[in-house]
Amino acid sequence: MKWINLLVLAFLFLSHGSAAQKATSPQPFYRPAEAAAQTAGRPKLVVGVVVDQMRWDYLYRYYNRYTANGFKRLLRDGFSCENTLINYAPTITACGHTCIYTGSVPAVHGIIGNDWCNAGLRRNVYCVEDSTVSSVGGGALAGKMSPRNLLVTTIGDELRLSNNFQSKVVGVAIKDRGAILPAGHTATAAYWYDGTSGNWISSTYYMNALPGWVQNFNSQQWPGQYLKAPWNTLYPINTYKLSTADEKAYEGKYKGADNTSFPHDLSANAKSLIAATPYGNTMTLEFAKKALEAYKLGSGDVTDLLAISLSSTDYVGHQFGPNSVEIEDTYLRLDKDLAAFFDYLDKKVGKGQYTFFITADHGVAHVPGFMEENKLPGKTFNDATLIKSLNDSINARFGIAKAILGASNYQLYLDHAAIAKAGKTQKEVADLIITQVMELPAVVNAFPLQELMTTPLPEPMRTMLLNGFNAKRGGDIQLVLAPGWIDGGPTGTTHGLWYPYDAHIPLVWMGWGIPAGKSNRTIGMTDITPTLAALLHIQMPSGNVGKVIEEITR
């Protein structure tokens, strides 16, 4: 009887299984995935802000002076990736903006600098120049710009591709490259500022005429309004204890000024100088608000993207340096601008309905004059003087009048045709150049870029230089400057090297999908875009090499 009972149980089990299979078999296998896609949560809007030349330490250097709802709100309510590093060199504006929104590096995306030498054209090529388009709303040259030199897609492109171009993507910046490269190839629009006309403009790549709202914004002549009174410090100047004295010989002067001290009366040149004041950031955010409203960003059924770059921090930083009263005041004012912008987004899009991130395209070196004043290593050298000296030596040795076509992004470009015509080899010329430049205190290393993988270099320098080298657009000889040294003149400072002061940037996320917290794990600039792709449930851009920041997406 026992075996009969077992047979009955087996029959009942098989019958139940068969019935269950029969009942569910008509259901297609893709249903669970389809249902998940239909219910996948997404923010109404992604807002990315790139603060041009913002070193990571600015988050904390002025922390005690920030208001409650600007940078402090970001650090309180958001997630800070404290050890975010640029993972390529050179650390230059166009490269940074491109990397942030592509998850790629210059070796792949092709934007190897703000410009680069083109041997065929025998001139430098600007990163967003495009002779096939025309200016819309500004000077003829100011608008001949597009993203065509960019070789890969951006996160904005992938967002639009993900829903058959229903999402809207808009780029806004004073600098053309800061608006165009983040917005990508398929952007709904990109706008930048023309300092000659005093207008916000675009190009025929995006539109044939400026929309009425842009014309109305331009008609109000904001630069003149912002600078009708001199730029003075937000708080009493004697409270700026985190900065050097106001008047320093190594700071740059505004056009027509005879000193570097506050107050700065810039009313006579408001159109051209607004960019080099904190009011350039204020104007940019106001324009971004108008763009958000005009394109109804964040109000539809799909996610939109607003890419903003705040360029004025870079202009002020280059002119005065990171220890100046001017840069401290610029960040104190930016803090208040951000607080107002967050309040605007909360009301217009909805608190918790948008994902916001803030980062930087690069950091900045200290002014060499400041370094010398404080017995710290770092000076200046001039690449134009170096090239002339090298070309004279090459001509004397080999009879080649101009073997070096130019220098760009700390790379030397050789005239291969002229070298071959003289019956010489590139190695002979390169050996002479390297021997000569290695005698300079400014240069700690120099080598042919074709020998990058066999030249003894420490990490992360090797990887950063490799990620920055594009075989078609790059140069022939790499120069590595000593820490603290810059290519520049007697005033101001710059950036572009692999060292942490140029490569350590802030990255703070806030809003939809973002937990509060922080991580000190090393994160690459290339990780921003794949993290956005994960949050939005869309494909990574075509050249992406970054990884998802899982602390945010868990």
Side-chain angles (χ1 to χ4, degrees):
M1 293 297 294
K2 185 175 180 180
W3 65 271
I4 294 175
N5 290 336
L6 290 173
L7 285 174
V8 172
L9 287 172
F11 173 78
L12 292 172
F13 175 80
L14 291 171
S15 298
H16 181 269
S18 175
Q21 177 62 31
K22 186 176 181 180
T24 58
S25 59
Q27 302 299 319
F29 290 111
Y30 59 79
R31 275 294 171 86
E34 181 184 62
Q38 290 175 350
T39 59
R42 293 182 177 91
K44 291 182 177 180
L45 177 67
V46 173
V47 181
V49 171
V50 179
V51 184
D52 203 320
Q53 203 188 106
M54 183 177 179
R55 289 163 48 134
W56 168 81
D57 59 309
Y58 291 160
L59 282 175
Y60 298 100
R61 182 181 179 113
Y62 310 122
Y63 184 87
N64 291 340
R65 307 204 75 188
Y66 289 148
T67 60
N69 294 313
F71 285 114
K72 283 185 178 179
R73 175 178 171 181
L74 278 168
L75 294 169
R76 179 181 67 245
D77 298 345
F79 191 96
S80 181
C81 300
E82 297 280 277
N83 198 31
T84 302
L85 296 166
I86 298 174
N87 40 2
Y88 61 82
T91 47
I92 289 175
T93 298
C95 311
H97 283 81
T98 306
C99 177
I100 290 164
Y101 287 91
T102 64
S104 190
V105 290
V108 178
H109 62 57
I111 305 300
I112 65 171
N114 294 338
D115 52 31
W116 54 86
C117 185
N118 185 302
L121 298 175
R122 300 186 73 82
R123 68 170 177 86
N124 272 18
V125 171
Y126 182 54
C127 59
V128 291
E129 71 171 59
D130 187 349
S131 62
T132 70
V133 301
S134 300
S135 181
V136 175
L141 291 177
K144 295 183 77 63
M145 307 291 170
S146 87
R148 286 199 172 102
N149 288 326
L150 174 59
L151 303 178
V152 301
T153 61
T154 64
I155 191 68
D157 292 329
E158 296 297 336
L159 178 60
R160 282 174 56 75
L161 284 166
S162 73
N163 53 38
N164 197 29
F165 303 97
Q166 294 180 69
S167 289
K168 289 163 284 188
V169 175
V170 178
V172 173
I174 283 179
K175 294 181 181 179
D176 45 28
R177 56 189 180 271
I180 292 168
L181 296 169
H185 298 277
T186 65
T188 310
Y191 297 99
W192 53 97
Y193 179 73
D194 175 16
T196 302
S197 67
N199 289 337
W200 285 84
I201 69 171
S202 191
S203 81
T204 52
Y205 182 90
Y206 306 98
M207 62 195 74
N208 293 319
L210 288 180
W213 68 270
V214 180
Q215 296 180 41
N216 182 59
F217 191 93
N218 288 335
S219 70
Q220 296 178 56
Q221 299 181 358
W222 288 105
Q225 291 194 48
Y226 284 122
L227 296 181
K228 63 183 177 183
W231 171 22
N232 215 332
T233 52
L234 184 61
Y235 305 110
I237 197 167
N238 61 359
T239 66
Y240 286 67
K241 304 294 186 182
L242 299 172
S243 303
T244 57
D246 192 21
E247 183 67 25
K248 288 291 183 179
Y250 48 73
E251 295 180 344
K253 298 175 183 176
Y254 284 110
K255 181 180 179 180
D258 57 7
N259 61 62
T260 67
S261 302
F262 280 101
H264 299 292
D265 186 354
L266 310 174
S267 57
N269 298 289
K271 290 179 181 179
S272 60
L273 294 182
I274 183 74
T277 76
Y279 304 108
N281 293 332
T282 309
M283 179 177 67
T284 301
L285 289 171
E286 287 303 314
F287 187 88
K289 292 177 187 177
K290 298 298 182 184
L292 185 149
E293 294 166 10
Y295 290 101
K296 299 180 180 179
L297 302 180
S299 62
D301 296 328
V302 295
T303 303
D304 297 319
L305 171 64
L306 177 59
I308 304 169
S309 179
L310 300 176
S311 309
S312 294
T313 41
D314 186 69
Y315 290 115
V316 176
H318 275 292
Q319 184 169 333
F320 295 98
N323 291 283
S324 62
V325 177
E326 282 79 5
I327 205 69
E328 181 175 352
D329 196 67
T330 295
Y331 277 91
L332 295 180
R333 290 178 181 275
L334 175 57
D335 174 66
K336 294 172 73 70
D337 284 343
L338 286 174
F341 189 58
F342 294 150
D343 185 58
Y344 169 83
L345 291 174
D346 288 346
K347 293 175 181 175
K348 197 70 180 178
V349 183
K351 191 172 184 179
Q353 299 300 308
Y354 61 89
T355 299
F356 178 93
F357 72 90
I358 192 167
T359 187
D361 52 348
H362 53 73
V364 65
H366 290 292
V367 179
F370 168 85
M371 300 290 276
E372 185 176 0
E373 182 178 73
N374 291 281
K375 301 178 181 179
L376 295 165
K379 294 184 180 180
T380 64
F381 96 112
N382 185 281
D383 66 0
T385 302
L386 174 63
I387 291 171
K388 184 181 184 307
S389 174
L390 290 172
N391 272 332
D392 287 345
S393 296
I394 296 167
N395 192 29
R397 175 80 65 87
F398 301 120
I400 307 170
K402 193 176 179 182
I404 302 175
L405 290 173
S408 187
N409 309 311
Y410 306 96
Q411 295 176 2
L412 303 180
Y413 288 74
L414 302 181
D415 189 335
H416 298 174
I419 293 170
K421 185 177 180 180
K424 304 300 177 183
T425 66
Q426 184 175 320
K427 184 178 186 308
E428 289 177 291
V429 174
D431 285 347
L432 175 61
I433 291 171
I434 291 168
T435 298
Q436 190 163 325
V437 299
M438 285 298 290
E439 296 175 356
L440 302 174
V443 178
V444 294
N445 211 337
F447 53 87
L449 278 155
Q450 293 299 329
E451 298 176 12
L452 175 56
M453 293 307 293
T454 57
T455 301
L457 296 169
E459 290 291 357
M461 186 199 302
R462 181 195 300 284
T463 296
M464 292 177 72
L465 293 174
L466 181 65
N467 285 341
F469 176 54
N470 184 282
K472 284 195 170 183
R473 294 177 176 178
D476 298 288
I477 297 172
Q478 178 75 53
L479 303 182
V480 181
L481 300 191
W485 284 73
I486 67 168
D487 175 17
T491 64
T493 187
T494 191
H495 49 85
L497 302 180
W498 73 275
Y499 300 109
Y501 52 79
D502 281 350
H504 190 186
I505 56 173
L507 174 58
V508 190
W509 308 75
M510 184 179 74
W512 185 95
I514 307 299
K518 70 175 183 177
S519 171
N520 286 303
R521 179 174 65 85
T522 299
I523 289 167
M525 179 190 269
T526 47
D527 297 339
I528 298 170
T529 276
T531 303
L532 284 171
L535 287 168
L536 299 175
H537 309 291
I538 63 174
Q539 177 65 24
M540 298 174 183
S542 58
N544 178 80
V545 299
K547 297 180 180 180
V548 174
I549 304 170
E550 293 191 9
E551 294 93 327
I552 291 174
T553 58
R554 285 194 181 106

